[in-house]
Amino acid sequence: MMGDPRHAQPLRRSTLRLPRPDRAWWKHLGAGVLFLLLLFGGWEALARMGFWPRYLVPAFTDVLRALWGTAQSGGLVAGLAASVMRLVLGYGIGLVLGLGLGLWMGRSRIAESTLGSVALGLQALPSVAWLPLALIWFGLSETAITFVVVMGTVFAIAVATSTAIHQTPHTWERAARNLGARGHALLLHLTLPAALPGIAMGMKQGWSFAWRSLIAAEMVYSTVGLGHLLMFGRELNDLPLVMAVMLVIVAVGLAADRLAFGRLEVAVQRRWGVGRRDAKLPA
Amino acid sequence: MTEPRVELRQVSKTYDTQQGHTLALRDVSLRVMPGEIVTILGPSGCGKSTLLNLVAGFEPPEEGEVLIDGQPVESPAPDRLVMFQEGALFPWLRVHDNVAFGLRMQGVGKAERRAQAMEQLKTVGLEQFSHHLLHELSVGMRQRVALARALVMHPRVLLMDEPFAALDAQTRDGLHATLQELWASAGTTTLFVTHNIREAACLGDRVLVMSPRPGTIVAEREVHAERPRHIEDDPVMQVARSLRQELHAAVEAAA
Ligand SMILES: Nc1ncnc2c1ncn2[C@@H]1O[C@H](COP(=O)(O)OP(=O)(O)OP(=O)(O)O)[C@@H](O)[C@H]1O
Ligand SMILES: [Mg+2]
């Protein structure tokens, strides 16, 4: 803390800073890669030993080959694009609605005691259970699928947001009101930033719910998308293709976490000084 | 005759909870003159925080009146700033943004509020830490930030609720010194609540002793020792001794 910190940290907008990758981080990454190599190597060896027929237990290279094949035919790209578009659209709508609903429940006692328990209940409902309803309402359409994704997202984010607001220390609100914060200013400068760690967690959870509900919905009804591709592989009895698509689904989920949500969560926790002070960058 | 800055007239306050009613304050009357520093000394749970909350406007009194410069208190406002025991700073803001929070709520422009915040941080010795995050500061430094955040608003009354209770003796002595310097230069009227007898004697122009719950004021003592005072100065210790007797008598009488 010595020296003149003003020079070390020049005046700038209060951005959410991320820790820089350090040696420990590289080590962490190395261990992860090594583990994956061993895992896939072991799988390959086991499958090639011939205890089981290859069409039931394909080797890792069979899966890679299927992946390459569907990538080249354009089926994978089309499916991936369709799924990601739906995901982004549904998640975006769910996020906006969820934040709005959560803020409302967080700030109004009546909204909390009425909508609160409904939201909590609906959060427990697997969102693919909305699909029959959506199909009746919207027919066999994109809207039906988007609706399911929105339903998967909205309650997770709403519940996390309102919980975070309720857990905000009472003295923070008193201090802010004491310093003259009222109405919108109170919402913008106290309620939201105070709840941000909880909201970030809700956003992350909402994202994974959205992804799951999308794949589930695409498997039941869709003509394009990763979920559809899964079912297509099943109809052809093409297990390598099925596994290849599964890998892609996992990869998309991981990528979103590593590149966006996990980082957001760590950055917020560091800034707020909550959670583990030494929180690591996700590898 | 000048008007008191803070005046409580026969104030009572009851809290209703599921467990029943708690009479927290009973028939409390007091006056604090402009520029005066009044410390309120009382055992834990006697209603000290309740009293400050009423002056701050967080809660309405049940009976009686709470007046600031003759006007009844209606709601919280930056002319009566509370410094909380835990500081209640905002961890998502850097130190200077915490200090500037009240100015921002008043619509003061960015450059102006930054300049004022930096000036105020100098008075508490933290200008070097203006861009730090709160969890990068010690507890004592955080209380200095809280003090700066309140004083930068030039409140008519500063309300301090055991702000140094969690500090070690050395850090607390440092804050006592800073606080007395600030009083000497800014002359901020202050109502300071504590359960520490010597702290009450050290900081107050006048000490009010409260009885255990239901809290009421049972004794009053002026402290004439010269400032700046240290908590172990002889005159302070003498006052503390007689305050101790008065406090004991109040606790015994209630038992
Ligand atoms: N919001 C509340 N609801 C119900 N009862 C309360 C509330 N605030 C305070 N009380 C009760 O009022 C009494 C006085 O509380 P208060 O916090 O004012 O005491 P205090 O003198 O500040 O104590 P301490 O020194 O421990 O901070 C206590 O018995 C407490 O239980
Ligand atoms: Mg208290």
Side-chain angles (χ1 to χ4, degrees), chain B residues 41 197-199 201-202 221 231-249:
Chain B
L41 175 65
I197 299 172
R198 286 193 296 159
E199 181 170 75
C202 174
R221 190 136 179 2
I231 201 161
E232 276 163 10
D233 288 350
D234 277 337
V236 171
M237 301 277 263
Q238 267 171 26
V239 174
R241 252 192 301 277
S242 75
L243 282 172
R244 190 180 305 277
Q245 281 165 6
E246 270 151 18
L247 192 62
H248 274 242

Side-chain angles (χ1 to χ4, degrees), chain B residues 6-43:
Chain B
V6 183
E7 183 171 12
L8 269 68
R9 291 189 189 150
Q10 273 128 44
V11 168
S12 297
K13 176 79 187 175
T14 310
Y15 286 109
D16 294 321
T17 62
Q18 276 137 343
Q19 277 71 40
H21 308 288
T22 311
L23 182 55
L25 292 177
R26 192 188 61 205
D27 208 15
V28 172
S29 296
L30 63 84
R31 304 168 137 222
V32 183
M33 303 312 280
E36 199 182 14
I37 293 145
V38 171
T39 49
I40 296 185
L41 175 65

Side-chain angles (χ1 to χ4, degrees), chain A residues 11-34:
Chain A
L11 295 183
R12 60 187 156 100
R13 290 194 59 76
S14 11
T15 45
L16 292 172
R17 265 184 319 156
L18 271 177
R20 256 190 219 104
D22 53 7
R23 268 190 70 162
W25 183 83
W26 285 112
K27 235 168 125 177
H28 189 60
L29 185 71
V33 169
L34 193 67

Side-chain angles (χ1 to χ4, degrees), chain B residues 44-50 85 161-162 193 195:
Chain B
S44 183
C46 73
K48 302 183 297 294
S49 297
T50 304
Q85 180 170 339
D161 192 356
E162 309 198 39
V193 153
H195 61 251

